[in-house]
Amino acid sequence: MAVAVCHGQLPFAVLLSLLMLLGTPVGSEAGCSVDAIYSFGDSIADTGNLLREGPVGFFASIGSYPYGQTLRKPTGRCSDGLLIIDYFAMALNLSLVSPYLDKGADFASGVNFAVAGATALDRGVLLQSGVMMPPASVPLSSQIDWFKSHLNATCPSQEDCAKKLAGALFLVGEIGGNDYNYAFFQGIRSIQAMKAYVPQVVKTIMDVAKEVIKLGATQIIIPGNFPIGCSPSYLSLFSMSGSADHDERGCLKSYNAFAAYHNEQLQVAVDGLRKANTDVTVVYADYYGAFMHLLDHASILGFDEGLLLQACCGAGGAYNFNMNTMCGTLGTSSCANPARRVSWDGIHLTQQAYRAIALALLMEGFAQPADAVQEIWSC
């Protein structure tokens, strides 16, 4: 059941989450059902791993200004500021989750294994299909290996690890977007051809979810993909004059239909995982629906309705995106107020957009089942 703010008094757990997400100080003495977060994924969740590996390609500039503009310093996040995972941590009264490759970090609040540019499928699988991969790409299989290495270094025994992980929240994704992005951006696969890869991508995500369950995970969130047809990058690359492919929001219907296809397959697999593991809380996070909710309520949420599909940071053009002149490189500039924009650099979102999506997931019923969401955020 979605909880609406206008429907009377909110449960304390939900109110606490909302206050935290809105930036209102609350007492840290409240105990939550989650005491750590372990995250796997790509640039939607990376809080600094790629920066420490050495960013290249699309991500070469994430370690320098204007990335981190709202935080007044670059952190390795592909945004002007915070990400969805950061708002999840805040809502759970946890410290922001440090990247695994920050060896001097305090991992008391969990570990983030997500890496910008990461794919679900291994490099070899994608290379065989002709998809070129960035040198620093870290697939899910490598991230789960990092996780096991972390456990080996911090748990005296398997029983101790299982006890430790029982109180943790696992974010398995968002992942899979780059498996498709690389093929689409390189122009080597059609939408129809890429549909053949969806079962492999979904299976890989499920395999990781099953693996962490085997290791002791009891609370898992598996997000779907965003509507890529609303991304300035896709709009810039694939919009055709006179085409009937744009919907009423200005997004590309064909690419959004592909993202929806991936999400439908993923939801079926998530339902199967839930039925096979009745003692584990498995939540599907509808990033697609939450993003569309943001667009449809943009003015209420404080976004500039005339610039919803235009990047804040870029080199000009209809969508302020140029694949050859990415945000942070010579010839680009960023908007004065990223909080009024949805897209940060044409591929990733602004802090304010991630905040709105996090709120939608917690408060507006875009994470299901709702009772499981309430249970996770019970403080």
Side-chain angles (χ1 to χ4, degrees), residues 119-167:
T119 54
L121 301 177
D122 283 349
R123 174 185 294 271
V125 175
L126 292 167
L127 288 175
Q128 284 177 4
S129 66
V131 178
M132 300 303 294
M133 302 287 293
S137 179
V138 179
L140 269 181
S141 60
S142 297
Q143 294 181 32
I144 196 71
D145 285 344
W146 283 356
F147 175 58
K148 291 177 180 177
S149 295
H150 173 75
L151 290 183
N152 288 337
T154 56
C155 295
S157 68
Q158 186 173 348
E159 292 75 18
D160 288 324
C161 279
K163 184 178 179 181
K164 174 181 179 179
L165 301 182

Side-chain angles (χ1 to χ4, degrees), residues 336-356:
N337 188 4
R340 296 278 291 162
R341 300 291 187 92
V342 173
S343 176
W344 164 244
D345 58 8
I347 297 175
H348 310 98
L349 306 185
T350 60
Q351 169 178 291
Q352 194 72 358
Y354 284 132
R355 174 178 172 273

